[in-house]
Amino acid sequence: MECPKWRLGELEKSYSDLALKLHKPTNVKYTLMWGFGNTLHGCLPRGLGNESFLDLMRRLFGKTEKKTKPCSATVREELCHLRRQANRQRWTCWESDTAGVEVEVAMMSGRSWRFIIGNGAKGGEVKERLAELSGIHSTELSLLCGGVQLQDHEVLLATYAEALNKPPPQLQLLRIFRPSAISCSTDCTLKIWDLEKATCVNTLRGHGDGVMSLTDCTLRVWDLDHGICVQAIQVAEHPAFCLEFDHSARRILTGSWDNNLKLWDSELGVCVGTLNGHSGMVKAVRLHWPNHKAISGSCDGTLKLWNTERSTCTQTFEHGEEVWAVDVDWISSTALSGSMDASICYWNLKSGACLGTLVGHTDAVSCLALRWSEGQALSASWDKTVRLWGLPNAVCLAVLQNGHAVTTMSVDWVHRTALAGSPEAMRLWNFETQICEQVLDGHLDVERKDSATSPTTPVSVGHDEAVSFLVMNSSESFFFGLM
């Protein structure tokens, strides 16, 4: 079988050109003005009313910021299609390569695959071939030759020619769980982290303002495999503060400063429903698309349970003070709400009854995670602590001293870890042992003075400013960032 190599070159160029078109560079003007504003923030008088000089500069600049045109869902599909075409053309070229070598790749489970690798095949390209054959994402695959781990950039037949000409199996394949996280920040970026090595492995740039801020007013879909923005949904009339994304249903629920919730079709990039009822900013949302349910927490002091199919509120829960955090277990119809007054309530969604109150925090509760099947919950607060709770006895089982106010948190209940984000840093806690396992710096210029970790704890420099949103161990190849 003869392979037209020019065809592979065309596909790779088309893919590269489209990816470059979708990848928006960092907004240099905004970055310079942001830094200038930070420098003058402490030495100049306040602006208009309660607005600081920095706020004023950002608002004025936001008016002149050129709006980014949204990418259609078809462009995103075209990018994936080009990637698949290029890979299949590459594998066809390997089959016809007279200098190629047939290899067998084996796993400890007994599964194995045979195919020809071309003379110029790299480790990363071979892993993509194995990902196609095995159905395992390439980021979870580690390829070994003679006990040595292959690097993605290495040309196999140039580096391991002798080992690859030995009897099969010449290569071994391991599936590795790589603890990872995605963080959003007011420095206009998203970052992907390897939590095991405490390093930032990729930075996603494209937003024109801090993620979960106001000026840019877009929802962006990010292709995590390629590190590019593939779709932007304009939400100028509905500046979103929080969101919940159901990838399988392709639905996004957002809560906004305008007191409303909106349901979006992520493929078409259009609003398909509006939920009205709150009289204050919506600060937290949860969505359960299979049963067309959603719950929201607002600065009006209430939680509201919604029927998303009919866009109606079916139940209102009076917490009292501003609700800053919400989590829900849809199977047991139980929800948690955290407030600026430091209180946490848990609710029966069917009866509307308050089942109890968790008391212990001394400042606003910013994050909640509920695990009703184990009778436990985690909460994080501006009082610089993360607390583990026992339900339904409402007892505090552990207090993790984070050292800084926690503004966002993501929990992995299986591995008993919680990643807490703050304006100063991100910390990975094992809440079973109550030990901080990693510190990922959030500011470049913050001097480390805390005692939450030992001096030997790995530290990685990351965002320039406050971390506003976290997701750990995401299995999806696409991610939403909001402004």
Side-chain angles (χ1 to χ4, degrees):
M1 184 194 307
E2 188 174 347
C3 168
K5 293 189 177 180
W6 58 266
R7 174 61 178 158
L8 176 59
E10 276 190 352
L11 287 168
E12 288 181 333
K13 186 179 186 306
S14 297
Y15 176 83
S16 177
D17 289 347
L18 183 57
L20 186 64
K21 180 181 177 182
L22 291 171
H23 194 293
K24 307 298 181 183
T26 304
N27 189 318
V28 179
K29 284 185 181 179
Y30 179 82
T31 304
L32 291 173
M33 288 197 68
W34 178 265
F36 177 66
N38 272 328
T39 303
L40 299 180
H41 184 50
C43 56
L44 287 180
R46 298 188 68 83
L48 303 175
N50 292 323
E51 195 171 37
S52 69
F53 175 78
L54 177 58
D55 294 332
L56 179 60
M57 293 294 287
R58 293 177 70 194
R59 183 172 60 81
L60 292 175
F61 182 74
K63 287 184 177 180
T64 60
E65 177 70 12
K66 185 178 179 181
K67 296 295 180 182
T68 304
K69 293 182 180 179
C71 303
S72 68
T74 55
V75 177
R76 186 174 71 192
E77 291 174 359
E78 184 183 348
L79 187 74
C80 295
H81 180 63
L82 283 171
R83 179 66 172 266
R84 287 193 296 268
Q85 277 192 310
N87 277 337
R88 284 166 186 165
Q89 185 68 20
R90 180 178 296 111
W91 302 331
T92 301
C93 290
W94 289 355
E95 295 287 338
S96 61
D97 190 345
T98 55
V101 174
E102 184 179 41
V103 297
E104 181 176 335
V105 185
M107 293 185 75
M108 293 182 66
S109 64
R111 298 176 68 188
S112 64
W113 302 270
R114 280 179 177 265
F115 54 87
I116 294 174
I117 60 172
N119 188 45
K122 297 180 180 179
E125 294 170 346
V126 175
K127 282 205 300 187
E128 289 192 19
R129 176 68 168 134
L130 290 165
E132 174 86 4
L133 293 170
S134 66
I136 304 171
H137 198 279
S138 60
T139 57
E140 297 180 24
L141 300 179
S142 180
L143 203 55
L144 304 178
C145 183
V148 179
Q149 184 177 10
L150 276 63
Q151 303 301 311
D152 288 351
H153 65 275
E154 289 182 303
V155 178
L156 268 63
L157 289 179
T159 311
Y160 304 95
E162 184 179 348
L164 293 174
N165 281 289
K166 289 182 177 180
Q170 300 94 332
L171 298 173
Q172 294 76 43
L173 186 65
L174 299 178
R175 184 174 185 177
I176 299 174
F177 173 77
R178 299 183 186 277
S180 60
I182 305 166
S183 62
C184 308
S185 169
T186 51
D187 65 5
C188 309
T189 69
L190 295 87
K191 289 183 181 287
I192 303 176
W193 301 85
D194 183 326
L195 296 181
E196 199 170 59
K197 298 178 180 178
T199 55
C200 174
V201 296
N202 203 358
T203 298
L204 312 182
R205 296 181 173 90
H207 282 296
D209 197 357
V211 183
M212 295 188 76
S213 181
L214 279 172
T215 310
D216 184 282
C217 290
T218 61
L219 296 172
R220 288 178 181 263
V221 187
W222 297 88
D223 183 336
L224 302 183
D225 289 336
H226 312 109
I228 57 178
C229 174
V230 294
Q231 189 174 8
I233 303 172
Q234 297 294 334
V235 291
E237 302 302 319
H238 175 79
F241 182 85
C242 53
L243 68 76
E244 181 91 334
F245 179 34
D246 188 313
H247 188 269
S248 59
R250 297 177 178 178
R251 287 292 185 271
I252 316 158
L253 181 67
T254 57
S256 172
W257 305 76
D258 66 8
N259 307 345
N260 297 324
L261 294 84
K262 284 186 181 290
L263 196 63
W264 305 81
D265 184 314
S266 66
E267 287 298 297
L268 301 176
V270 297
C271 176
V272 293
T274 301
L275 310 179
N276 306 106
H278 283 297
S279 57
M281 181 178 72
V282 180
K283 297 204 69 171
V285 293
R286 290 290 184 270
L287 174 66
H288 192 254
W289 182 253
N291 290 337
H292 300 287
K293 290 182 178 180
I295 196 167
S296 59
S298 167
C299 288
D300 63 10
T302 69
L303 284 83
K304 286 185 180 291
L305 184 64
W306 304 87
N307 181 314
T308 56
E309 192 172 32
R310 300 176 182 175
S311 297
T312 57
C313 175
T314 59
Q315 186 81 272
T316 298
F317 307 86
E318 298 287 344
H319 188 114
E321 291 294 332
E322 294 184 7
V323 177
W324 285 18
V326 171
D327 202 12
V328 60
D329 182 271
W330 295 106
I331 296 175
S332 64
S333 295
T334 308
L336 284 177
S337 61
S339 172
M340 69 169 294
D341 68 359
S343 66
I344 302 171
C345 296
Y346 58 105
W347 309 84
N348 183 308
L349 298 183
K350 291 181 178 178
S351 66
C354 179
L355 302 176
T357 304
L358 309 180
V359 179
H361 284 297
T362 58
D363 206 339
V365 177
S366 55
C367 318
L368 290 169
L370 174 62
R371 188 77 159 184
W372 188 258
S373 60
E374 297 181 16
Q376 292 186 342
L378 273 174
S379 62
S381 168
W382 283 80
D383 66 8
K384 306 179 182 180
T385 68
V386 176
R387 289 176 179 263
L388 177 66
W389 303 90
L391 302 174
N393 296 326
V395 294
C396 183
L397 303 176
V399 180
L400 311 179
Q401 297 293 339
N402 194 64
H404 299 286
V406 183
T407 55
T408 181
M409 179 178 67
S410 181
V411 179
D412 180 354
W413 287 101
V414 174
H415 297 90
R416 309 295 284 177
T417 56
L419 185 61
S422 70
E424 288 75 20
M426 293 179 288
R427 286 177 172 77
L428 182 65
W429 291 94
N430 183 315
F431 54 84
E432 198 72 45
T433 62
Q434 301 182 39
I435 294 174
C436 178
E437 297 181 340
Q438 302 283 13
V439 177
L440 312 175
D441 261 6
H443 276 287
L444 293 180
D445 58 350
V446 169
E447 194 176 332
R448 183 161 306 289
K449 297 179 181 179
D450 57 45
S451 58
T453 59
S454 67
T456 58
T457 302
V459 175
S460 175
V461 173
H463 291 293
D464 296 336
E465 295 170 20
V467 177
S468 56
F469 189 68
L470 290 169
V471 176
M472 273 206 300
N473 302 325
S474 175
S475 61
E476 305 293 353
S477 296
F478 292 99
F479 177 77
F480 266 91
L482 64 79
M483 292 278 291

